[in-house]
Amino acid sequence: MPITTDEVFKKYTDEKTFSKIVNYASVSEMWEHSLKEYSDLNAICYDGVHYTYKKVEEDAASLRAVLKNSGAENGERIGLLCTNSYDFVKAFVAITTGGYSAAILPPHLDQNAIFGCSMLLGLKRIVAEPVLAEKTELAKSKGKAVISTQESSSESLPPVQVKGDSECVLMFTGGTTGKSKAAILTNQAVMQGTVNGCYGYKDVFNQKYILALPLSHVFGLIRNLTTTLYTGSEILICKNNKDMFKDIGMFAPTVFVAVPGLIELGLKLSNQMKTNLFGPAMKYIIAGAATVSPYLVEECKKLGISLLPGYGLTETANLVSGNPDSAENPESVGFFFPNQEYSIENGELWLKGTNLFSGYAAADPQENEIAFQDGWFKTGDLVRVDEKGYLYITGRTKEIIVLPTGENISPAELETKFNELPFIQDSQVFEDVDESGNHYLSLEVLPRPSELAKIADEDKAAFITKELEEVNMALPSFQRVSKIVIRDTDFERTPSMKIKRYKKCN
């Protein structure tokens, strides 16, 4: 396919705003522009304190000097070990605008894993938040330099300009094979992902964001943090996600970047408390990392909120597509963002583009060989694109179930059908086997309590089963499930709130 452009997104904002959405060569170049335009505006709110863009730069400039004085060399990979906090932002800005590459170390890792990551990525230095100091003890004992985010210098070093193809961020991901590894994102890729976060809605600049997603995840880092800093917006970093709705009430954000599980929670509590816990100022919820149900789009619309689903991967600096018209087409993850080429090979999406990673760091050579073919990144996602250019995710190649009949089944495609019922919150289709060794498809569903309460039938389980069977019988015979189970507890989930898939039968 030809390289995609920003033309499709023009009609969703005004000409003046759209003209301000421009690409910068690096995070440093973007950051200097933000300092020039927004210096005295608030950038970060954390633990009750507001930090202006100027203050973030002052703190980052001091930390840049600390890094240089520690012997850090241009282009060096420096570990970043922080919780969601102001310290993370300060360290991230200092590293990525100081001529270095930020290797994001997930804060939930133990000291053995932190040391292992530092060896895998060839880190000489780790910038760590004091509350996580214990997790760096092993690395420190093995010769790694550990620099506290609280260290400062009397010197003040300005941002360093680098080329777009220089390494900027390393983020851990399961990738397309499920084995954890670090994707290398260049400055160009990070900036393309950041700019992509500006397309598809009217109010782009000078907004108020709230952050509840982990900054060690690409969705939280790129779509939440760097797009905030690019647009002269302010972001409130939740110190404790248990206080998220309290923070929303205090901060009155206009944009919330969230996974579907958080949106479900907000709607559930809003229904129970008879008030909009997303707040009256909320305009947009940007959703991703898991399938977004059309039910969520409709319920948010009732609250005056545009829920905009999107799709991306760590390897694509998060953002591949976004849906600016979800009220009309809620099943889609939208249009492709600009500067990409795509190809669909046997149903799988392949990509090229400026947002693409440059490979996995220190990976088994086979990992990169598996991920790419003839310069195309094989996403592992099964998709279709309609005549209007809308993209739909229909499953994952690694989740395909091959039945004894030879038929290929995409569980996600079937789950989407069952999830269209408003009283179904989540579902999982999987391969099961009976005592005789016969293989068949099973379905487990998690009802949505708020909608379940509206069902008048006394035997709600019988009602749900009947409705599911109607959907089931409308499917081609080889796709029909043979067993339906209604759960009374949630599915086991990953840190990004995705349902953990049951293991396939042998």
Side-chain angles (χ1 to χ4, degrees), residues 34 53 56 73 110 114 116 119 147 150 183 189 320 326 374 388 394 401 405-406 461 497:
S34 292
Y53 280 78
V56 175
E73 299 177 352
D110 61 23
I114 295 296
M119 293 298 292
I147 299 168
Q150 296 300 306
V320 171
S326 59
D374 300 326
K388 294 182 179 180
T394 61
I401 298 170
T405 59
M497 297 295 287

Side-chain angles (χ1 to χ4, degrees), residues 26-292:
S26 65
V27 174
S28 287
E29 186 176 317
M30 177 273 287
W31 180 238
E32 288 197 322
H33 177 268
S34 292
L35 290 173
K36 179 181 177 182
E37 295 292 323
Y38 315 121
S39 181
D40 294 325
L41 298 182
N42 289 332
I44 309 295
C45 178
Y46 179 69
D47 202 17
V49 180
H50 295 267
Y51 301 85
T52 64
Y53 280 78
K54 181 179 180 181
K55 175 59 176 172
V56 175
E57 169 56 17
E58 288 175 354
D59 292 341
S62 175
L63 191 52
R64 283 188 209 109
V66 170
L67 291 172
K68 184 174 182 180
N69 292 336
S70 74
E73 299 177 352
N74 186 48
E76 182 179 322
R77 292 174 180 172
I78 297 178
L80 196 169
L81 179 63
C82 292
T83 61
N84 277 18
S85 61
Y86 174 69
D87 277 15
F88 184 105
V89 179
K90 176 176 66 176
F92 177 79
V93 171
I95 294 170
T96 58
T97 65
Y100 313 114
S101 173
I104 312 295
L105 302 173
H108 67 269
L109 298 180
D110 61 23
Q111 66 170 341
N112 292 317
I114 295 296
F115 173 64
C117 289
S118 69
M119 293 298 292
L120 176 72
L121 302 180
L123 306 182
K124 298 177 181 178
R125 264 160 276 273
I126 299 173
V127 176
E129 194 176 1
V131 295
L132 300 176
E134 288 186 6
K135 298 195 173 194
T136 64
E137 288 301 318
L138 179 59
K140 191 174 182 179
S141 70
K142 299 292 185 179
K144 307 296 181 182
V146 178
I147 299 168
S148 170
T149 53
Q150 296 300 306
E151 288 190 40
S152 61
S153 171
S154 58
E155 295 180 71
S156 181
L157 295 184
V160 174
Q161 292 303 324
V162 297
K163 293 182 179 180
D165 61 0
S166 63
E167 189 176 297
C168 182
V169 174
L170 292 95
M171 301 202 79
F172 281 92
T173 174
T176 58
T177 62
K179 184 179 178 181
S180 183
K181 46 201 170 289
I184 303 171
L185 297 174
T186 63
N187 270 273
Q188 174 182 258
V190 170
M191 288 316 307
Q192 184 67 66
T194 299
V195 169
N196 287 348
C198 299
Y199 292 116
Y201 57 110
K202 182 179 180 181
D203 305 296
V204 178
F205 295 89
N206 304 114
Q207 297 301 304
K208 297 180 74 173
Y209 281 78
I210 185 162
L211 172 77
L213 300 176
L215 285 167
S216 57
H217 188 278
V218 73
F219 196 25
L221 181 70
I222 303 294
R223 183 58 186 87
N224 226 165
L225 178 61
T226 61
T227 297
T228 293
L229 299 178
Y230 175 96
T231 57
S233 300
E234 181 180 14
I235 187 168
L236 181 145
I237 302 174
C238 293
K239 188 174 182 179
N240 187 332
N241 279 4
K242 292 181 179 180
D243 296 325
M244 180 177 67
F245 294 110
K246 179 181 176 182
D247 289 341
I248 288 176
M250 177 272 294
F251 188 66
T254 56
V255 186
F256 183 26
V257 180
V259 295
L262 288 178
I263 304 168
E264 284 277 5
L265 177 62
L267 291 171
K268 176 183 176 181
L269 294 177
S270 294
N271 181 67
Q272 290 176 350
M273 301 179 70
K274 309 299 181 185
T275 186
N276 176 12
L277 290 184
F278 293 116
M282 189 70 73
K283 301 174 185 177
Y284 309 104
I285 296 179
I286 313 299
T291 302
V292 178

